[in-house]
Amino acid sequence: MTVSATLAANEAVAARRAAGQEVLALGFGEAGIPVHPLLSQRLVQAAGQIAYGPVAGIDPAREAAAGYWTRRGTPTDAGQVLLGPGSKPLLFALLHAAGGEVVLPKPAWVSYAAQSHLLGREPIRVPVPEGEGGVPDAEAMDAAVREARAAGRDPRIVVVTLPDNPTGRLASEVSVKALCETARELDLIIVADEIYRDLVFEDGPFPSPAAWAPERTVTTTALSKNYALGGWRVGAARFPDSELGERLRESVRGIASEVWSSTPMPMQHAAAYAWSDPAELVDRVAMARRLHGSVATAVAGVFAGVGCEVRTPQGGFYVWPDFSPLRETLAARRGIATSADLARVLLDEFGVVVLPGSAFGDDPGALTLRVAVTGIYGESDSERLAALLSNEPLEMPWIAEALNGLRDKLEALVAQGRP
């Protein structure tokens, strides 16, 4: 097992900068905005809370998380909620508790497959519907699961991401409903990773699987994306109000008791405040949506401008460009045949850090990249805060400069790739 591709990219950026090399860091999926002072205050006030807490989490934090989901249209009781030190350990515990093999969308966030491999299970990858992301195509999933079972395999769980990392797309209601119906027919548990839910750019109904398969959907979230608190490590899982949900929750609680004991107490108190949706923090998330949406859309436009196929991002802070229209010229002059080749050339020749699509399970020969746009919000907290507070983030000089620099580098890559 190697270091996660996203974390490795972050370490690569740090190493190159320490060596005095210019870097345009578009590889690491960190939210890129400063912590809200009120959240810092809550953490400081709870710093003296050093005792072990309940494995499932303290009541105020679980009640706040339940309220968070209820206000978003998914009625939840605190008894359905279990906290963990981030959503990644909760996911791993869920995969362990469910047993069997996992079905993943193709592409999918790097850690889903990695955690499956840690459990000694090869994931079953299913393409997403055309133009979408985060949810396997229902018809293709049905065929893949039945084929796997006929071969003696034991798929039991499907993981979806809404909105998606790496594509930045939000699956349609039609696709999510179809997935839920198929999961019920196949008796699959659904894990809905909704960590980017609050960062959907346009208003409208949110297609949560819990609405159409409430008896079998486990939903996860955390504070690392909407509030940029990745280093604080606190997440929550909502288990279905069903016999299956109770059984899964107790199994995960048992695993948690032996692995992380309890979520750090100061973080739980800060989370209780954040998940209560105070007006000041609701405003902060709205500003984050504006910043992420403006820059992600602009970055997508830059890639489209040099000839890439790229869908407009709908949530989070990622762009998923496809260089396939440039394949012949890039191969002829740059020797680029895979997404890994493409990412390597961008890093070595242009100082642009991105991740190849193959890191997310895409075919190695597909010339796709995941671009995390938060790396151009600013070099300091003051710049990032100014970008966050601005009604027109693209007018910030450093963001405009970074966008122009990216355009210049991509145009140079393409120009060097033309016969």
Side-chain angles (χ1 to χ4, degrees), residues 336-361:
I336 293 173
T338 67
S339 60
D341 293 339
L342 180 57
R344 174 183 50 78
V345 169
L346 283 168
L347 175 60
D348 293 345
E349 301 296 328
F350 301 98
V352 178
V353 181
V354 292
L355 294 182
S358 55
F360 300 86

Side-chain angles (χ1 to χ4, degrees), residues 19 34 62 64 84 88 96 126 136-137 148-149 173-174 176 180 211 218 260 292 318 320 336 356 360 406 411:
R62 292 190 299 120
K88 285 174 76 170
H96 190 284
V126 178
D137 177 82
R149 287 175 174 167
E173 182 176 302
V174 169
V176 176
C180 290
V218 180
W260 62 80
H292 298 319
Y318 304 110
W320 183 254
I336 293 173
F360 300 86
L406 175 62
E411 288 178 349

Side-chain angles (χ1 to χ4, degrees), residues 60-85:
R62 292 190 299 120
E63 289 166 359
Y68 168 90
W69 274 303
T70 299
R71 286 187 295 277
R72 284 156 180 79
T74 306
T76 305
D77 183 85
Q80 296 172 251
V81 177
L82 192 148
L83 304 188

Side-chain angles (χ1 to χ4, degrees), residues 78-102:
Q80 296 172 251
V81 177
L82 192 148
L83 304 188
S87 58
K88 285 174 76 170
L90 287 168
L91 173 65
F92 185 74
L94 272 167
L95 295 182
H96 190 284
E101 290 157 303
V102 60

Side-chain angles (χ1 to χ4, degrees), residues 41-50 265-267 269-270:
Q41 291 174 16
R42 295 286 172 150
L43 188 66
V44 170
Q45 290 168 2
Q49 301 285 337
I50 57 174
M265 291 293 282
M267 281 59 168
H269 285 278

Side-chain angles (χ1 to χ4, degrees), residues 372-393:
V373 306
T374 56
I376 64 177
Y377 292 174
E379 294 295 323
S380 65
D381 274 353
S382 60
E383 286 186 347
R384 289 186 284 268
L385 182 59
L388 177 70
L389 297 177
S390 173
N391 290 323
E392 300 292 340

